[in-house]
Amino acid sequence: MSRATHTLGPAREWRVFVHTANVGDIGSVMESSEELARCAALSHHSKEGERGSSKSLCIFEDDEFDVRGAR
């Protein structure tokens, strides 16, 4: 039986941006890949419900967001 081994690189900072309602930068997460950073962003910054006109610094269910490597 063979097992897949995944080697993760060192964690780095990723900035979290919400595009809905022009909210912008809502914070950061530390992860080793963009995929893990998106998961961490949802885990740390999500809130139930819909944004509507709220400018809250969180990710609502209907938001579009992305993560970008911090410089």
Side-chain angles (χ1 to χ4, degrees):
M1 178 191 294
S2 79
R3 286 180 114 174
T5 345
H6 299 283
T7 305
L8 298 177
R12 62 183 254 205
E13 182 180 10
W14 296 84
R15 302 301 303 174
V16 182
F17 293 86
V18 173
H19 304 288
T20 309
N22 294 317
V23 173
D25 189 342
I26 64 167
S28 65
V29 293
M30 295 293 291
E31 285 297 340
S32 58
S33 71
E34 182 177 357
E35 182 178 59
L36 291 174
R38 285 184 59 81
C39 292
L42 287 171
S43 176
H44 296 294
H45 298 290
S46 66
K47 189 170 181 180
E48 287 188 31
E50 295 183 359
R51 176 166 299 279
S53 62
S54 171
K55 294 285 187 181
S56 296
L57 299 181
C58 56
I59 303 169
F60 284 96
E61 296 172 18
D62 60 339
D63 283 344
E64 290 185 30
F65 77 98
D66 74 296
V67 294
R68 303 174 195 169
R71 295 179 188 195

